[in-house]
Amino acid sequence: MKITLKQYNGVATWRWNTETEDICGICRLEFDACCPQCLFPGETCPIVEGTCGHIFHKHCIEKWSNSDKNNKSCPMDRLPWTLVKKP
Amino acid sequence: MPELPGNTAISPATLKRLKNELMGLMMANIKGITAFPESDNMLSWIGSIEGAAETVYSGLKYKIKIKFSNDFPITAPTIVFTTPIYHPNVDKQGNICLDILKEEWSAVYNVQTILLSLQSLLGEPNPASPLNVDAAKLWENQEAYKTALLEHYNQNSD
Ligand SMILES: [Zn+2]
Ligand SMILES: [Zn+2]
Ligand SMILES: [Zn+2]
C-alpha cells in the first residue's frame, strides 16, 4: 500500500526552557503566557534569569528593579539582581 | 468576566494579579484568615485574622482592611486593624508595624503570606519597635497581659 501525503498541518507547541518553576513570582502568571502588560507570549515578552538562579518575566523584574523602594535585589532571596550572561 | 465599573482606574496587571490572589485564597481556604474585596472595587478588601492556637490571642478574631495601590505587587498594600486591638506593634488607629509591609516588602509576597505573617505577629510581637508601649511592657508578664487583652477585646469587639 502506498500512502501519498496530501496535506500536512504543522502543529507546534513551544515553551520557555525553564527548569524549576512554571510561574513568575511577581505576576503569578505562567512563563508560557506573557506578563500581564503584554498581549502575546513569545520573543516580545522574554523571561530572564538572575545569577541567583531565579527567573522572571523581563518586564516584571524590570518593574520591580525600577521601583525606588529597593536596591535592585531579587524579590525571592534579596540577593543582588544581576542577569546571567548567556554565552 | 465583564469589567466592573469600580475597576476602571486599576491597571490591567494589578487587576489580573488581584483576581489571582482572590482565587488562591479561596482555594487554599486557610483556617483563621479571610480576605475578599469589600465591594466592586478590587483595590479595597476586608478580612479577618484569628489568633493562632496556644497563643494569648487564641480564639480572638480581628477585622482588617487592606488597600492595594495601583502598582501592587511592586508596592506593599496598606493594612489596618478595624477592630481595636491591644498589641505591642499596633497603634490605637490600627496601624501596624511589620517589616514585610514596609522596608522588607517583596513583589513575590501574596495576600496569603501577609495574612499568615500578621497572624504570627499576634502571638510573637516584636517588642523592639513598639507602637503601644504599655502593651510592649506588659508582654513580659503573660498572665497580666492576657487579662488586659481580654478586657480590651470584650470592650471593643462586636
Ligand atoms: Zn511575570
Ligand atoms: Zn511582557
Ligand atoms: Zn533570586
Side-chain angles (χ1 to χ4, degrees):
Chain A
M1 192 174 85
K2 203 173 145 197
I3 293 171
T4 314
L5 193 65
K6 283 186 173 161
Q7 205 189 355
Y8 171 76
N9 291 316
V11 178
T13 57
W14 67 273
R15 40 179 302 134
W16 291 109
N17 195 4
T18 59
E19 277 147 31
T20 46
E21 296 145 88
D22 293 327
I23 66 162
C24 167
I26 299 174
C27 66
R28 308 223 150 233
L29 297 173
E30 287 176 26
F31 284 123
D32 294 342
C34 56
C35 83
Q37 286 161 285
C38 293
L39 291 175
F40 304 105
E43 306 243 311
T44 51
C45 186
I47 59 168
V48 289
E49 186 180 354
T51 45
C52 59
H54 288 120
I55 43 183
F56 303 97
H57 289 116
K58 181 169 180 273
H59 299 145
C60 292
I61 191 68
E62 277 175 356
K63 247 175 112 180
W64 172 249
S65 307
N66 291 338
S67 70
D68 45 284
K69 285 167 206 75
N70 64 89
N71 41 10
K72 298 206 191 314
S73 58
C74 170
M76 293 284 198
D77 50 30
R78 299 179 195 285
L79 292 172
W81 178 260
T82 25
L83 289 178
V84 169
K85 296 241 168 17
K86 290 272 153 64
Chain B
M1 190 167 165
E3 286 311 326
L4 301 161
N7 290 327
T8 43
I10 307 181
S11 77
T14 301
L15 188 59
K16 228 175 190 172
R17 165 80 196 248
L18 285 173
K19 283 180 178 167
N20 199 309
E21 292 279 337
L22 187 57
M23 282 291 284
L25 270 173
M26 278 156 63
M27 305 282 273
N29 190 20
I30 299 163
K31 202 182 167 289
I33 60 170
T34 65
F36 44 86
E38 185 174 24
S39 59
D40 57 3
N41 179 0
M42 279 295 279
L43 291 180
S44 177
W45 291 29
I46 49 172
S48 65
I49 294 171
E50 217 177 293
E54 283 158 47
T55 68
V56 284
Y57 288 87
S58 170
L60 308 187
K61 196 172 173 180
Y62 296 93
K63 288 186 196 136
I64 52 164
K65 212 178 185 99
I66 311 172
K67 284 240 182 279
F68 298 96
S69 65
N70 219 345
D71 63 352
F72 176 81
I74 304 303
T75 53
T78 312
I79 303 187
V80 291
F81 278 97
T82 51
T83 306
I85 179 168
Y86 186 75
H87 189 278
N89 304 115
V90 185
D91 71 12
K92 287 200 168 65
Q93 284 74 45
N95 300 307
I96 305 158
C97 178
L98 180 62
D99 56 355
I100 64 153
L101 290 175
K102 304 262 156 60
E103 66 283 353
E104 294 295 312
W105 171 252
S106 160
V108 297
Y109 290 157
N110 56 26
V111 179
Q112 194 175 313
T113 43
I114 299 167
L115 296 190
L116 288 172
S117 306
L118 278 175
Q119 193 184 41
S120 59
L121 180 73
L122 290 189
E124 294 156 46
N126 174 13
S129 53
L131 288 176
N132 181 336
V133 181
D134 292 340
K137 277 187 197 147
L138 202 58
W139 181 255
E140 296 296 314
N141 182 346
Q142 287 282 288
E143 276 302 308
Y145 189 91
K146 189 155 191 186
T147 311
L149 171 66
L150 288 178
E151 194 180 317
H152 185 272
Y153 185 78
N154 291 330
Q155 276 167 11
N156 293 290
S157 62
D158 44 41

